[in-house]
Amino acid sequence: MNKLCLILALHNHQPVGNFDYVVEDAYQKSYLPFLKILERHPGIKLSLHYSGNLLLWLKDKHGDFFDLLKNLIKQGRIEMLSGGFYEPIIPAIPDDDKTGQIKKLNEFIEKELGYAPKGMWLTERVWEPAMPRHIAKAGIDYFPVDDHHFKLTGLTDKDLHGYFLTEDEDYAVHVFPGNEQLRYLIPFKDVDEVITYLRSVFENPSSITHHSSLVCMADDGEKFGVWPDTFKHVYTNGWLERFFSALDKNSDWLQTTTFAEYISKNPPAGRIYLPTASYREMGEWALFPPAAEEYDDTLKLLKNLIGDKKAHTLLRGGFWRNFLSKYPESNHLHKRMYQISRKVHKAVKELRVESEKLKKQNPKSQKTHQASRITHHDLLDELWQGQCNDAYWHGIFGGLYLPHLRSSLYAHLLRAEALSEQALALTPYHEADDLDKDGYKDIFLSTKTLSLFFTQKGGALCELSYKEKAVNVMDTLSRRYEAYHRKLSKCGDVHEHSETATIHERLVLKEHDIAKHLVFDPYRKASLIDHFIAKDTSIDQFRGNSYRESGNFIEALYAMKSGEKKNSLETEFSAAGEVNCAQEARPLPVMINKKISVRKASPEIAVLYEINPCAETKSEISDIRSRLSRNSSFCIEFNLSFLGSPEPEVKALSKGKTSGWGITSVTEAKKISMLNVTYGYLGISAIFEFNSPVNLWQFPVETVSSSEEGIERVYQGTTFIIFPDSEFISGEENQFGFVITLKGT
């Protein structure tokens, strides 16, 4: 009698840049106890994937775990799956990096664990039809996705008890459907319920003949102990031990196997062409909030009419790349990654050529080996770490909303950029194009010490990166409405949910009154944003976005140009707009000009503003200036974030006296001539020196976002609102300027 074959494929991963104590907690709660229990059940086989950076951590911190893993592999009980070394979304990175990352993990697994992988874990199961070529060229033959991918082609459950062949451009790979129902059963439902379901699959004939019937569960390994409340359920209360024992007990009709073993004994069920897809929940998260709400409402109606399975199949969500539309900060990081990848691969090519020349000149030259090491480790490895997927998107996990993950990606990308620019002797240089592919022109300036990224939209500064510390000090995330925000009133606290609930079924609040912190930004929190606001606007109105914007410059398309002088790179912006003062019958026409000069040899930026009425006669100009200064205030918005840390200190010089406060405080200060923001941990200061005293508002930017632990408030950065003296508007002072200096402490 043919048995039902069960593949249990588990994916274990920690984001690049995650805190060491978080990884250690996952090790103690999931990675180690899982293998210890598996070791006691010699009849059970598994397919396991660990991302490359997690394997590096395990090897460094827990060599005994590595030994246990190698022993289980030698016994033929574990099949190791490869993948992108640093867990990138494979179709969302450059082609050379696709194959390079997979090959790197192939080689690591074979060298360190003695296993040559032929299968892989596809990050977030994000599939696009052109992928077979890149996967096959990396030496990979098979991988699991979700049954959702297959059902989108019209197949049903009874058609999915095997695996399939797919191809593109004559490159073929094999793909397995992961069972969504089993993914929700394991480990959240009672073991008997899981076995009952597997028995029903065994007893109901499949449409696939001539091979053993198969069911595959492919999901995160962290749900065995790391996800909320699962450690107690899985280990303390013995769910995993009972499950493995039940598999042993039912071995007369049920057997665990691996992808490699199953392929060796069974042909594919057929050829298939899968559409662009990920797991079903990802499609929901990728939608813009209004569509996500409509999806949720429609799904509930359909479930009542036709049942859960049919509703999930017939109603489709979005697709992963839409996160790049949904979140401009994600898109910026993604397009900067592409920009840096081009530099890196150009530098790699040149370094390889140089290495070959040195080999021919002197085969034993130490310089040859040094060039080779820099090429492969310092350049490519830094780039590839910057492609780790977690901070490029947001779903049930924190992802993009976690500042330490974003800042880690920036750190690796900036180090890769600095090394490649050094190898290519690029700096200083400037380029102008639609670099972030948002339909607006951009200017990028790069010196030995700084990288700056400006956009035509609002004439804003979107990135200011300090190369010495590999940090983007403007890595702030805007506050946006998310579809789950409408559910906050229906959420319970962290103690009100069943310990066996999957994270997809949990929505809890980490603060009882967190809804009061919901504030949404109508524009991206960049810097050098130009505001005109009513004179009586308060800081609370401004930070709560309940004020009225009098000008139309925030999203105006500024004319811009860039150039180079002997000691600096220059960029200029200008825009004609209107200021609608409540007391005025007609809008006041105004021209804003701002010039930014970046020193080539030091991390110093000079900013110079001019505001001029759009009028021809002196009397008209004087009249507009008078009305402006009487009825409105001009201010410049700057947003700073040092690794998303709430610890930096702010010091200000006013009338010869120095005062200080925390960076997360809500503060108003007057007559400031110098501002110093210092972060001791990073060893960096951002110093603002004004050519005339300014008034200042400061307030924190905090998002309300979801994570696997629940809905939480996250500090993203701090907004500084700089008010030049009123004489600047009235015309008594022709220019207003300040100098920003970044330096190590």
Side-chain angles (χ1 to χ4, degrees), residues 20-76:
D20 192 75
Y21 74 87
V22 174
V23 187
E24 180 64 34
D25 185 66
Y27 172 77
Q28 298 293 344
K29 287 184 175 178
S30 179
Y31 307 143
L32 180 61
F34 188 94
L35 282 197
K36 286 291 187 182
I37 292 178
L38 175 65
E39 189 180 26
R40 299 200 295 263
H41 294 268
I44 293 174
K45 297 178 180 179
L46 294 176
S47 296
L48 293 182
H49 170 259
Y50 298 85
S51 58
N53 55 296
L54 179 56
L55 285 173
L56 288 171
W57 186 91
L58 290 167
K59 181 187 176 186
D60 179 54
K61 303 288 186 179
H62 295 285
D64 51 342
F65 179 87
F66 238 60
D67 293 337
L68 174 58
L69 191 58
K70 284 191 281 190
N71 187 44
L72 291 170
I73 291 170
K74 287 179 181 178
Q75 294 175 21

Side-chain angles (χ1 to χ4, degrees), residues 371-437:
S372 177
R373 185 185 69 81
I374 290 175
T375 296
H376 292 93
H377 181 74
D378 292 340
L379 283 170
L380 290 174
D381 205 62
E382 291 288 2
L383 169 66
W384 290 347
Q385 289 187 72
Q387 294 172 342
C388 181
N389 80 91
D390 305 80
Y392 284 95
W393 63 282
H394 172 64
I396 198 68
F397 298 98
L400 176 70
Y401 276 89
L402 300 180
H404 68 287
L405 298 187
R406 293 198 313 272
S407 63
S408 177
L409 297 192
Y410 270 114
H412 290 294
L413 291 174
L414 291 170
R415 282 194 281 267
E417 182 171 50
L419 287 168
S420 61
E421 288 179 346
Q422 181 182 349
L424 297 168
L426 274 179
T427 58
Y429 83 100
H430 58 98
E431 61 178 309
D433 201 349
D434 180 11
L435 300 172
D436 60 2
K437 303 300 183 287

Side-chain angles (χ1 to χ4, degrees), residues 111-129:
K111 178 183 176 182
E112 300 294 339
L113 297 172
Y115 185 90
K118 297 299 292 181
M120 70 175 282
W121 183 265
L122 188 63
T123 303
E124 299 302 329
R125 280 100 82 195
V126 175
W127 169 260
E128 293 185 11

Side-chain angles (χ1 to χ4, degrees), residues 489 587 712:
S489 62
E712 60 188 4

Side-chain angles (χ1 to χ4, degrees), residues 446-596:
S446 182
T447 70
K448 182 180 179 181
T449 59
L450 298 175
S451 294
L452 297 90
F453 193 106
F454 298 90
T455 177
Q456 175 188 23
K457 191 175 184 181
L461 175 59
C462 300
E463 177 184 340
L464 171 56
S465 290
Y466 186 29
K467 293 179 180 178
E468 180 181 323
K469 299 294 183 179
V471 60
N472 173 15
V473 300
M474 292 182 182
D475 180 22
T476 304
L477 189 70
S478 302
R479 299 163 293 184
R480 293 186 179 85
Y481 178 75
E482 298 283 1
Y484 51 74
H485 285 150
R486 70 169 178 166
K487 301 178 182 179
L488 295 191
S489 62
K490 302 176 183 178
C491 293
D493 64 31
V494 293
H495 304 293
E496 293 181 359
H497 287 258
S498 165
E499 65 181 21
T500 57
T502 169
I503 56 171
H504 303 293
E505 299 166 332
R506 282 175 108 254
L507 191 63
V508 300
L509 304 181
K510 295 181 74 173
E511 293 181 58
H512 178 69
D513 58 350
I514 199 169
K516 74 179 185 181
H517 297 286
L518 287 173
V519 177
F520 307 119
D521 297 307
Y523 56 89
R524 182 177 172 185
K525 298 293 275 186
S527 291
L528 295 182
I529 297 173
D530 304 324
H531 294 274
F532 282 94
I533 61 176
K535 283 279 190 181
D536 60 355
T537 303
S538 70
I539 185 174
D540 287 335
Q541 288 174 325
F542 194 98
R543 72 190 184 99
N545 284 323
S546 59
Y547 75 102
R548 176 177 171 271
E549 186 74 31
S550 302
N552 61 351
F553 291 91
I554 292 178
E555 296 196 339
L557 298 186
Y558 279 62
M560 62 184 196
K561 61 181 179 179
S562 60
E564 184 172 350
K565 291 186 177 180
K566 181 179 179 181
N567 297 316
S568 63
L569 298 178
E570 311 278 330
T571 184
E572 296 183 32
F573 295 89
S574 61
E578 296 178 337
V579 180
N580 286 277
C581 302
Q583 297 84 350
E584 298 293 332
R586 58 184 176 81
L588 304 175
V590 171
M591 171 73 76
I592 293 180
N593 295 281
K594 50 188 173 184
K595 178 180 178 181
I596 299 94

Side-chain angles (χ1 to χ4, degrees), residues 227-436:
W227 288 8
D229 303 317
T230 56
F231 179 79
K232 180 181 178 182
H233 173 64
V234 172
Y235 300 110
T236 306
N237 295 341
W239 188 94
L240 186 61
E241 180 64 44
R242 293 196 304 276
F243 179 58
F244 283 167
S245 296
L247 294 179
D248 290 334
K249 182 180 178 180
N250 290 277
S251 60
D252 57 324
W253 60 271
L254 175 64
Q255 70 178 45
T256 56
T257 186
T258 64
F259 296 113
E261 184 177 55
Y262 189 84
I263 282 180
S264 70
K265 297 177 180 179
N266 298 276
R271 183 177 61 254
I272 196 165
Y273 295 93
L274 301 173
T276 297
S278 179
Y279 49 86
R280 178 181 55 79
E281 300 91 340
M282 179 70 84
E284 299 176 36
W285 302 332
L287 293 169
F288 287 106
E293 292 177 348
E294 187 175 4
Y295 177 99
D296 187 53
D297 294 339
T298 305
L299 183 62
K300 289 174 183 175
L301 291 173
L302 278 178
K303 283 181 176 180
N304 290 331
L305 290 172
I306 60 177
D308 289 11
K309 280 190 174 182
K310 286 185 178 180
H312 285 151
T313 300
L314 293 176
L315 192 63
R316 182 177 182 181
F319 113 95
W320 187 88
R321 289 181 188 253
N322 197 55
F323 288 115
L324 304 178
S325 297
K326 198 174 176 183
Y327 303 108
E329 297 88 350
S330 173
N331 181 67
H332 179 87
L333 185 61
H334 181 257
K335 300 309 181 288
R336 284 283 279 131
M337 177 270 289
Y338 261 79
Q339 181 190 30
I340 292 167
S341 179
R342 289 191 292 271
K343 296 179 189 178
V344 165
H345 285 284
K346 185 176 180 181
V348 165
K349 185 177 180 180
E350 292 198 10
L351 285 170
R352 282 176 175 160
V353 170
E354 181 64 24
S355 178
E356 289 302 315
K357 287 181 180 178
L358 289 171
K359 283 181 181 179
K360 291 178 181 178
Q361 293 171 4
N362 184 356
K364 297 182 180 180
S365 170
Q366 290 297 314
K367 291 183 178 180
T368 300
H369 303 303
Q370 176 71 0
S372 177
R373 185 185 69 81
I374 290 175
T375 296
H376 292 93
H377 181 74
D378 292 340
L379 283 170
L380 290 174
D381 205 62
E382 291 288 2
L383 169 66
W384 290 347
Q385 289 187 72
Q387 294 172 342
C388 181
N389 80 91
D390 305 80
Y392 284 95
W393 63 282
H394 172 64
I396 198 68
F397 298 98
L400 176 70
Y401 276 89
L402 300 180
H404 68 287
L405 298 187
R406 293 198 313 272
S407 63
S408 177
L409 297 192
Y410 270 114
H412 290 294
L413 291 174
L414 291 170
R415 282 194 281 267
E417 182 171 50
L419 287 168
S420 61
E421 288 179 346
Q422 181 182 349
L424 297 168
L426 274 179
T427 58
Y429 83 100
H430 58 98
E431 61 178 309
D433 201 349
D434 180 11
L435 300 172
D436 60 2

